[in-house]
Amino acid sequence: MLLAAAQNAWLRDRAAKHKFVRRAVSRFMPGEDLTDALAAAQRLQEKHIGSIFTYLGENTKDAAEAQSVTEHYLEVLLRIREQPLQTEVSVKPTQLGLDLSTELCYGHLRQIVALEHPQRMVWIDMEASNYVDATLSLYRRTLQEFPNVGLCLQAYLYRTTDDLASLLPLRASIRLVKGAYSEPPDVAFPRKVDVDENYFVLAKEMLLAKKSQPRMRAAFGTHDMPLLRRISEFAATSGLRKGDLEVQMLYGIQGAEQERLAREGYTSRVLVAYGSHWYAWFIRRLAERPANLWFVARNLFDFS
Ligand SMILES: Cc1cc2nc3c(=O)[nH]c(=O)nc-3n(C[C@H](O)[C@H](O)[C@H](O)COP(=O)(O)OP(=O)(O)OC[C@H]3O[C@@H](n4cnc5c(N)ncnc54)[C@H](O)[C@@H]3O)c2cc1C
């Protein structure tokens, strides 16, 4: 129900007006402005945790808006460089105009990657399953010109086994996640236990590839600590260093673990989302952990 609600424009317009919803959202984002994200990145960096910025929004319906999102990201890259911060960016193809035209979206993506420092990655998010083919071709095309572009793959999709196998020989940098959209059982594992197991199988493939191609990045976008323990044990027995294992988590979730991983020598990064278009993104965070609904409800009665 929550994942369906994430797509509902009527609910979106109403939710943003309620103070208690905005208070609950602040648990997962430091604020709506870029300056809030920059301040959060600075605090994380003091704890040796890197960051990844994502400017919230998706399914842009108008070319001028897609252009303005692109310009925003270009400004972000310059601001990060000025500070300087260990911050990368992660972009959504539909926010850059994929629904309007593949060429338009590619042009925007290319501008962003071309401005990014070659030592830093521009990550591409993976959205609902009907966008996977288009996102993969955008990624392959960009990778031919720029090695510093990374792609998110979702362990809940059956097809990801083949997609990963075709990308690893290209020295692709991958962020593996479980997947956050509502998908039918003919495209995605319906049972969480199967998603988790597939995640582990795919993670092992990524780590073996990382061993033979040290410059690629193998990033694990999950808060699942038992799963991360299995992955780190496999990495250690495969002869990888702790720093080769990159864990990416979301701002506001498992903060103590993010710090512990960084202290122990793993590469720890936090995805910092900001911007005013937080509705669909926030509802997906609620769907991931129904207990978060209590947290929203508590904010309803918090008048401080
Ligand atoms: C850096 C990053 C980038 C991502 N990019 C994408 C993307 O491009 N495309 C995509 O489809 N998905 C993306 N996701 C979301 C991902 O697919 C999962 O929906 C999300 O990470 C929750 O799954 P999990 O792996 O943490 O495991 P789960 O098994 O869902 O959770 C494990 C534990 O983590 C904690 N936890 C998880 N989620 C929450 C939450 N919302 N609130 C509080 N606690 C929580 C709980 O303690 C839970 O028991 C991304 C996630 C991260 C961390």
Side-chain angles (χ1 to χ4, degrees):
M1 275 170 67
L2 281 167
L3 289 175
Q7 306 303 325
N8 188 303
W10 187 87
L11 284 174
R12 181 196 60 214
D13 295 343
R14 271 144 197 88
K17 294 194 181 112
H18 290 287
K19 264 200 185 145
F20 78 95
V21 179
R22 298 176 83 92
R23 268 199 302 266
V25 171
S26 68
R27 180 192 159 176
F28 299 107
M29 52 185 267
E32 292 193 359
D33 300 333
L34 174 59
T35 46
D36 300 318
L38 289 165
Q42 187 64 49
R43 291 193 296 275
L44 289 163
Q45 192 156 299
E46 283 155 17
K47 296 174 188 163
H48 307 287
I49 300 175
S51 47
I52 303 170
F53 284 1
T54 198
Y55 180 49
L56 292 171
E58 49 203 79
N59 297 109
T60 304
K61 295 280 180 278
D62 138 9
E65 197 186 327
Q67 174 67 32
S68 112
V69 169
T70 307
E71 283 163 14
H72 176 79
Y73 272 116
L74 297 177
E75 186 203 332
V76 171
L77 297 186
L78 297 176
R79 295 281 295 275
I80 290 168
R81 228 177 267 176
E82 269 166 25
Q83 294 252 353
L85 287 166
Q86 295 298 320
T87 303
E88 300 180 332
V89 294
S90 195
V91 299
K92 275 197 176 18
T94 67
Q95 193 186 15
L96 299 181
L98 185 59
D99 288 333
L100 300 166
S101 128
T102 309
E103 278 313 298
L104 180 90
C105 178
Y106 172 72
H108 290 153
L109 177 64
R110 195 190 170 282
Q111 267 182 283
I112 297 168
V113 185
L115 186 69
E116 179 58 297
H117 189 286
Q119 302 287 333
R120 295 209 184 130
M121 198 64 74
V122 171
W123 294 96
I124 304 177
D125 284 3
M126 189 59 83
E127 300 175 75
S129 58
N130 52 321
Y131 292 112
V132 175
D133 282 325
T135 305
L136 282 171
S137 29
L138 277 174
Y139 177 65
R140 288 203 172 92
R141 196 168 161 194
T142 317
L143 186 65
Q144 279 176 2
E145 200 180 350
F146 304 99
N148 62 324
V149 62
L151 179 70
C152 178
L153 290 181
Q154 299 154 323
Y156 65 8
L157 296 183
Y158 305 124
R159 62 173 290 168
T160 298
T161 305
D162 292 340
D163 291 338
L164 182 69
S166 71
L167 289 171
L168 289 178
L170 309 177
R171 301 185 193 189
S173 286
I174 303 291
R175 170 214 294 152
L176 185 64
V177 301
K178 291 188 187 175
Y181 295 81
S182 172
E183 300 291 356
D186 57 324
V187 296
F189 292 101
R191 294 185 334 147
K192 179 172 159 38
V193 60
D194 296 325
V195 178
D196 292 357
E197 207 42 46
N198 196 40
Y199 193 109
F200 184 55
V201 171
L202 299 168
K204 288 193 285 187
E205 296 297 324
M206 285 167 56
L207 290 170
L208 293 175
K210 165 84 186 161
K211 199 165 175 218
S212 54
Q213 307 285 354
R215 289 182 61 192
M216 67 164 270
R217 299 246 304 261
F220 301 98
T222 180
H223 314 91
D224 186 334
M225 294 316 298
L227 182 57
L228 280 172
R229 261 190 295 281
R230 288 172 77 196
I231 293 170
S232 66
E233 278 162 22
F234 180 82
T237 52
S238 309
L240 287 159
R241 295 172 309 123
K242 281 184 176 175
D244 292 331
L245 190 78
E246 175 167 346
V247 179
Q248 299 182 356
M249 294 193 185
L250 301 179
Y251 180 90
I253 303 180
Q254 307 275 36
E257 291 299 334
Q258 295 165 7
E259 291 181 28
R260 182 187 62 78
L261 288 164
R263 266 197 319 274
E264 291 183 3
Y266 295 98
T267 302
S268 175
R269 279 189 184 270
V270 168
L271 187 129
V272 179
Y274 66 96
S276 54
H277 297 291
W278 41 258
Y279 171 77
W281 183 85
F282 172 65
I283 300 293
R284 287 199 290 273
R285 303 291 78 80
L286 296 184
E288 281 157 4
R289 193 162 178 256
N292 286 340
L293 285 171
W294 290 112
F295 175 74
V296 178
R298 256 201 342 258
N299 275 284
L300 179 58
F301 301 107
D302 176 3
F303 299 106
S304 57

